Amino acid sequence: MPRSKIAGIGKFIPANRVTNQDLTKYMDTSDEWIQERTGILERHYAHRTEETTTTMGVEAAKIAIERAGITPQDIDFIVFATLSPDYYFPGCGVLLQRAMQMKEVGALDVRNQCSGFLYAISVADQFIRSGMYKNILVVGSEKHSFGLDFSTRGRNISVIFGDGAGAVVLQPTEKENQGILSTHLHSDGASAEILAMYNPGTHANHWGAQNYADFDEAEIGEMFMSHTMIDNAQNFPFMDGQSVFKKAVVKFPEVIMEALQANGYQATDINLLIPHQANLRISQFVQQKLKLRDEQVYNNIQHYGNTTAASVPIALCEAWEKGKVKEGGLVCLAAFGSGFTWASALLKW
Ligand code: UT7
């Protein structure tokens, strides 16, 4: 059974750079607070009308496809991970297929937030291993800036997120010592509501989600999207940051060790760990716990913020462009986020 390898990788960062200082124009925050709590110095926001989650994904995909030495017509399956799709439905996968004038190939959207890219490459990896597809495009892209509360009310979330996209092309490899060795996926829905965007949705308050609007039960349409909801800012994400932080620092090391142990490796064997860029303090905690040296961990949240499904491919691409990912190197990708879902992938470059 062939393994899959990353044959090409690309990223797209929108031009509009937004510093912590810029955010103080809209909300009561400070460069000092943001840097100290998150490590973030700046992030980038997509152009309001000319860039979407899909168009950014397309730009990253063009680079990944070119670096793989193929054309968009060679792609035989698309997996697109995002929590900020252009439309509620259909997903971004088909919009990308259309924009890149690809053949009528399958397009699958993955909704696993921060671990979306890891879930997406795990799915793609199975299709390559089974022999079903030969050139799978996997994209992670987010346009958070369109769905954040930029008033002081939303500051605990809005300062963290940024926009951008990353993409890879997976292909089969017959080489003994190359490719994705394993992927490991997990979930625990017990805390689904502590990092979530409830509205618009069909929950009708069934789960007792916080921040829910006081609806007129007679107006069923109102329960999906209402003026009350907008007036009360209930159409924005909600996060209990401290609870997420506490779980993340346990699950990140756990899922990384699971990947290493499944393949007979130890933390000292890792050439590069690319953790999902949620918070620099989380990455530093994981590094400490696994006793990794600085050069074994790649972080770039300082410049892009948390780009959820795009963060791992953006960081992997940047590390590769800087020559930090070498042929034969042991690379570990790991993510944790909303759901909760968490995942890891171990690969030989
Ligand atoms: O990728 C998805 C997964 N997400 C994560 O992994 C996020 C994990 N959590 C975190 O990264 C951190 O919890 C945050 C960065 C979100 C928040 O940091 P924290 O140290 O946990 O702060 P906190 O929420 O406990 O808030 C501390 C104080 C509060 O004020 P009081 O109540 O102590 O007076 C907040 O109101 O900081 C205040 N605060 C802010 N102040 C200035 C919250 N956000 C801001 C802000 N600027 N942007």
Side-chain angles (χ1 to χ4, degrees), residues 137-155:
L137 176 67
V138 183
V139 180
S141 181
E142 304 286 3
K143 184 176 175 178
H144 286 301
S145 58
F146 237 50
L148 297 173
D149 180 354
F150 283 101
S151 72
T152 297
R153 188 179 44 202
R155 65 183 179 175

PDB file of all heavy atoms in Angstrom, residues 137-155:
ATOM      1  N   LEU A 137      -5.810  17.675  -3.671  1.00  0.00           N
ATOM      2  CA  LEU A 137      -5.530  19.028  -3.187  1.00  0.00           C
ATOM      3  C   LEU A 137      -6.197  19.199  -1.823  1.00  0.00           C
ATOM      4  O   LEU A 137      -7.414  18.990  -1.702  1.00  0.00           O
ATOM      5  CB  LEU A 137      -6.105  20.062  -4.175  1.00  0.00           C
ATOM      6  CG  LEU A 137      -5.971  21.516  -3.735  1.00  0.00           C
ATOM      7  CD1 LEU A 137      -4.504  21.957  -3.709  1.00  0.00           C
ATOM      8  CD2 LEU A 137      -6.788  22.426  -4.644  1.00  0.00           C
ATOM      9  N   VAL A 138      -5.391  19.541  -0.833  1.00  0.00           N
ATOM     10  CA  VAL A 138      -5.927  19.765   0.516  1.00  0.00           C
ATOM     11  C   VAL A 138      -5.693  21.235   0.873  1.00  0.00           C
ATOM     12  O   VAL A 138      -4.553  21.718   0.825  1.00  0.00           O
ATOM     13  CB  VAL A 138      -5.233  18.856   1.556  1.00  0.00           C
ATOM     14  CG1 VAL A 138      -5.855  19.065   2.931  1.00  0.00           C
ATOM     15  CG2 VAL A 138      -5.326  17.390   1.146  1.00  0.00           C
ATOM     16  N   VAL A 139      -6.764  21.929   1.226  1.00  0.00           N
ATOM     17  CA  VAL A 139      -6.684  23.370   1.487  1.00  0.00           C
ATOM     18  C   VAL A 139      -7.194  23.678   2.891  1.00  0.00           C
ATOM     19  O   VAL A 139      -8.172  23.070   3.346  1.00  0.00           O
ATOM     20  CB  VAL A 139      -7.551  24.144   0.457  1.00  0.00           C
ATOM     21  CG1 VAL A 139      -7.474  25.648   0.704  1.00  0.00           C
ATOM     22  CG2 VAL A 139      -7.127  23.825  -0.972  1.00  0.00           C
ATOM     23  N   GLY A 140      -6.538  24.613   3.553  1.00  0.00           N
ATOM     24  CA  GLY A 140      -7.067  25.186   4.799  1.00  0.00           C
ATOM     25  C   GLY A 140      -7.098  26.689   4.592  1.00  0.00           C
ATOM     26  O   GLY A 140      -6.058  27.278   4.259  1.00  0.00           O
ATOM     27  N   SER A 141      -8.263  27.303   4.748  1.00  0.00           N
ATOM     28  CA  SER A 141      -8.344  28.748   4.473  1.00  0.00           C
ATOM     29  C   SER A 141      -9.370  29.385   5.395  1.00  0.00           C
ATOM     30  O   SER A 141     -10.403  28.778   5.703  1.00  0.00           O
ATOM     31  CB  SER A 141      -8.741  28.962   3.002  1.00  0.00           C
ATOM     32  OG  SER A 141      -8.797  30.353   2.721  1.00  0.00           O
ATOM     33  N   GLU A 142      -9.084  30.598   5.834  1.00  0.00           N
ATOM     34  CA  GLU A 142     -10.012  31.290   6.739  1.00  0.00           C
ATOM     35  C   GLU A 142     -10.054  32.791   6.472  1.00  0.00           C
ATOM     36  O   GLU A 142      -9.017  33.423   6.296  1.00  0.00           O
ATOM     37  CB  GLU A 142      -9.582  31.119   8.213  1.00  0.00           C
ATOM     38  CG  GLU A 142      -9.434  29.702   8.697  1.00  0.00           C
ATOM     39  CD  GLU A 142     -10.740  28.945   8.927  1.00  0.00           C
ATOM     40  OE1 GLU A 142     -11.839  29.491   8.652  1.00  0.00           O
ATOM     41  OE2 GLU A 142     -10.655  27.790   9.384  1.00  0.00           O
ATOM     42  N   LYS A 143     -11.281  33.314   6.478  1.00  0.00           N
ATOM     43  CA  LYS A 143     -11.476  34.772   6.473  1.00  0.00           C
ATOM     44  C   LYS A 143     -12.224  35.129   7.756  1.00  0.00           C
ATOM     45  O   LYS A 143     -13.426  35.392   7.745  1.00  0.00           O
ATOM     46  CB  LYS A 143     -12.263  35.200   5.231  1.00  0.00           C
ATOM     47  CG  LYS A 143     -12.419  36.720   5.096  1.00  0.00           C
ATOM     48  CD  LYS A 143     -13.125  37.096   3.804  1.00  0.00           C
ATOM     49  CE  LYS A 143     -13.388  38.589   3.725  1.00  0.00           C
ATOM     50  NZ  LYS A 143     -14.038  38.993   2.461  1.00  0.00           N
ATOM     51  N   HIS A 144     -11.484  35.102   8.862  1.00  0.00           N
ATOM     52  CA  HIS A 144     -12.097  35.391  10.160  1.00  0.00           C
ATOM     53  C   HIS A 144     -12.575  36.817  10.275  1.00  0.00           C
ATOM     54  O   HIS A 144     -13.543  37.106  10.966  1.00  0.00           O
ATOM     55  CB  HIS A 144     -11.063  35.182  11.277  1.00  0.00           C
ATOM     56  CG  HIS A 144     -10.777  33.755  11.557  1.00  0.00           C
ATOM     57  ND1 HIS A 144     -11.739  32.870  11.941  1.00  0.00           N
ATOM     58  CD2 HIS A 144      -9.630  33.051  11.520  1.00  0.00           C
ATOM     59  CE1 HIS A 144     -11.198  31.683  12.132  1.00  0.00           C
ATOM     60  NE2 HIS A 144      -9.920  31.766  11.873  1.00  0.00           N
ATOM     61  N   SER A 145     -11.833  37.730   9.625  1.00  0.00           N
ATOM     62  CA  SER A 145     -12.051  39.159   9.865  1.00  0.00           C
ATOM     63  C   SER A 145     -13.485  39.591   9.554  1.00  0.00           C
ATOM     64  O   SER A 145     -13.922  40.630  10.024  1.00  0.00           O
ATOM     65  CB  SER A 145     -11.072  39.979   9.027  1.00  0.00           C
ATOM     66  OG  SER A 145     -11.234  39.671   7.657  1.00  0.00           O
ATOM     67  N   PHE A 146     -14.222  38.785   8.784  1.00  0.00           N
ATOM     68  CA  PHE A 146     -15.594  39.148   8.422  1.00  0.00           C
ATOM     69  C   PHE A 146     -16.581  38.785   9.525  1.00  0.00           C
ATOM     70  O   PHE A 146     -17.709  39.254   9.504  1.00  0.00           O
ATOM     71  CB  PHE A 146     -15.981  38.417   7.125  1.00  0.00           C
ATOM     72  CG  PHE A 146     -16.417  39.353   6.036  1.00  0.00           C
ATOM     73  CD1 PHE A 146     -15.631  40.453   5.714  1.00  0.00           C
ATOM     74  CD2 PHE A 146     -17.588  39.147   5.338  1.00  0.00           C
ATOM     75  CE1 PHE A 146     -16.026  41.328   4.710  1.00  0.00           C
ATOM     76  CE2 PHE A 146     -17.985  40.016   4.337  1.00  0.00           C
ATOM     77  CZ  PHE A 146     -17.211  41.114   4.020  1.00  0.00           C
ATOM     78  N   GLY A 147     -16.161  37.933  10.459  1.00  0.00           N
ATOM     79  CA  GLY A 147     -17.147  37.436  11.426  1.00  0.00           C
ATOM     80  C   GLY A 147     -16.749  37.648  12.867  1.00  0.00           C
ATOM     81  O   GLY A 147     -17.075  36.821  13.722  1.00  0.00           O
ATOM     82  N   LEU A 148     -16.027  38.726  13.138  1.00  0.00           N
ATOM     83  CA  LEU A 148     -15.581  38.967  14.513  1.00  0.00           C
ATOM     84  C   LEU A 148     -16.237  40.220  15.077  1.00  0.00           C
ATOM     85  O   LEU A 148     -16.571  41.149  14.339  1.00  0.00           O
ATOM     86  CB  LEU A 148     -14.049  39.133  14.549  1.00  0.00           C
ATOM     87  CG  LEU A 148     -13.229  37.910  14.126  1.00  0.00           C
ATOM     88  CD1 LEU A 148     -11.741  38.274  14.049  1.00  0.00           C
ATOM     89  CD2 LEU A 148     -13.436  36.750  15.090  1.00  0.00           C
ATOM     90  N   ASP A 149     -16.373  40.236  16.397  1.00  0.00           N
ATOM     91  CA  ASP A 149     -16.939  41.393  17.091  1.00  0.00           C
ATOM     92  C   ASP A 149     -15.763  42.320  17.443  1.00  0.00           C
ATOM     93  O   ASP A 149     -14.983  42.020  18.347  1.00  0.00           O
ATOM     94  CB  ASP A 149     -17.639  40.896  18.359  1.00  0.00           C
ATOM     95  CG  ASP A 149     -18.261  42.024  19.165  1.00  0.00           C
ATOM     96  OD1 ASP A 149     -18.065  43.206  18.801  1.00  0.00           O
ATOM     97  OD2 ASP A 149     -18.940  41.711  20.172  1.00  0.00           O
ATOM     98  N   PHE A 150     -15.678  43.438  16.736  1.00  0.00           N
ATOM     99  CA  PHE A 150     -14.541  44.336  16.948  1.00  0.00           C
ATOM    100  C   PHE A 150     -14.806  45.385  18.041  1.00  0.00           C
ATOM    101  O   PHE A 150     -14.038  46.324  18.179  1.00  0.00           O
ATOM    102  CB  PHE A 150     -14.127  45.010  15.635  1.00  0.00           C
ATOM    103  CG  PHE A 150     -13.346  44.079  14.740  1.00  0.00           C
ATOM    104  CD1 PHE A 150     -13.956  43.446  13.675  1.00  0.00           C
ATOM    105  CD2 PHE A 150     -12.009  43.812  15.005  1.00  0.00           C
ATOM    106  CE1 PHE A 150     -13.245  42.556  12.870  1.00  0.00           C
ATOM    107  CE2 PHE A 150     -11.291  42.929  14.214  1.00  0.00           C
ATOM    108  CZ  PHE A 150     -11.911  42.302  13.146  1.00  0.00           C
ATOM    109  N   SER A 151     -15.890  45.194  18.799  1.00  0.00           N
ATOM    110  CA  SER A 151     -16.090  46.089  19.944  1.00  0.00           C
ATOM    111  C   SER A 151     -15.367  45.462  21.141  1.00  0.00           C
ATOM    112  O   SER A 151     -14.944  44.295  21.078  1.00  0.00           O
ATOM    113  CB  SER A 151     -17.582  46.239  20.251  1.00  0.00           C
ATOM    114  OG  SER A 151     -18.077  45.039  20.811  1.00  0.00           O
ATOM    115  N   THR A 152     -15.273  46.186  22.228  1.00  0.00           N
ATOM    116  CA  THR A 152     -14.579  45.682  23.424  1.00  0.00           C
ATOM    117  C   THR A 152     -15.210  44.374  23.918  1.00  0.00           C
ATOM    118  O   THR A 152     -14.507  43.489  24.415  1.00  0.00           O
ATOM    119  CB  THR A 152     -14.608  46.763  24.529  1.00  0.00           C
ATOM    120  OG1 THR A 152     -13.872  47.884  24.041  1.00  0.00           O
ATOM    121  CG2 THR A 152     -13.988  46.276  25.827  1.00  0.00           C
ATOM    122  N   ARG A 153     -16.513  44.217  23.678  1.00  0.00           N
ATOM    123  CA  ARG A 153     -17.225  42.994  24.074  1.00  0.00           C
ATOM    124  C   ARG A 153     -16.580  41.727  23.499  1.00  0.00           C
ATOM    125  O   ARG A 153     -16.542  40.691  24.137  1.00  0.00           O
ATOM    126  CB  ARG A 153     -18.661  43.144  23.537  1.00  0.00           C
ATOM    127  CG  ARG A 153     -19.666  42.139  23.940  1.00  0.00           C
ATOM    128  CD  ARG A 153     -20.991  42.520  23.290  1.00  0.00           C
ATOM    129  NE  ARG A 153     -20.788  42.919  21.888  1.00  0.00           N
ATOM    130  CZ  ARG A 153     -21.632  43.677  21.188  1.00  0.00           C
ATOM    131  NH1 ARG A 153     -22.712  44.139  21.743  1.00  0.00           N
ATOM    132  NH2 ARG A 153     -21.378  43.975  19.920  1.00  0.00           N
ATOM    133  N   GLY A 154     -16.037  41.841  22.279  1.00  0.00           N
ATOM    134  CA  GLY A 154     -15.497  40.646  21.628  1.00  0.00           C
ATOM    135  C   GLY A 154     -13.982  40.552  21.649  1.00  0.00           C
ATOM    136  O   GLY A 154     -13.389  39.716  20.963  1.00  0.00           O
ATOM    137  N   ARG A 155     -13.346  41.387  22.492  1.00  0.00           N
ATOM    138  CA  ARG A 155     -11.876  41.519  22.396  1.00  0.00           C
ATOM    139  C   ARG A 155     -11.112  40.243  22.731  1.00  0.00           C
ATOM    140  O   ARG A 155     -10.016  40.029  22.234  1.00  0.00           O
ATOM    141  CB  ARG A 155     -11.387  42.669  23.296  1.00  0.00           C
ATOM    142  CG  ARG A 155     -11.608  42.412  24.779  1.00  0.00           C
ATOM    143  CD  ARG A 155     -11.180  43.589  25.635  1.00  0.00           C
ATOM    144  NE  ARG A 155     -11.434  43.326  27.047  1.00  0.00           N
ATOM    145  CZ  ARG A 155     -11.091  44.115  28.024  1.00  0.00           C
ATOM    146  NH1 ARG A 155     -10.465  45.252  27.760  1.00  0.00           N
ATOM    147  NH2 ARG A 155     -11.360  43.797  29.279  1.00  0.00           N
TER     148      ARG A 155
END
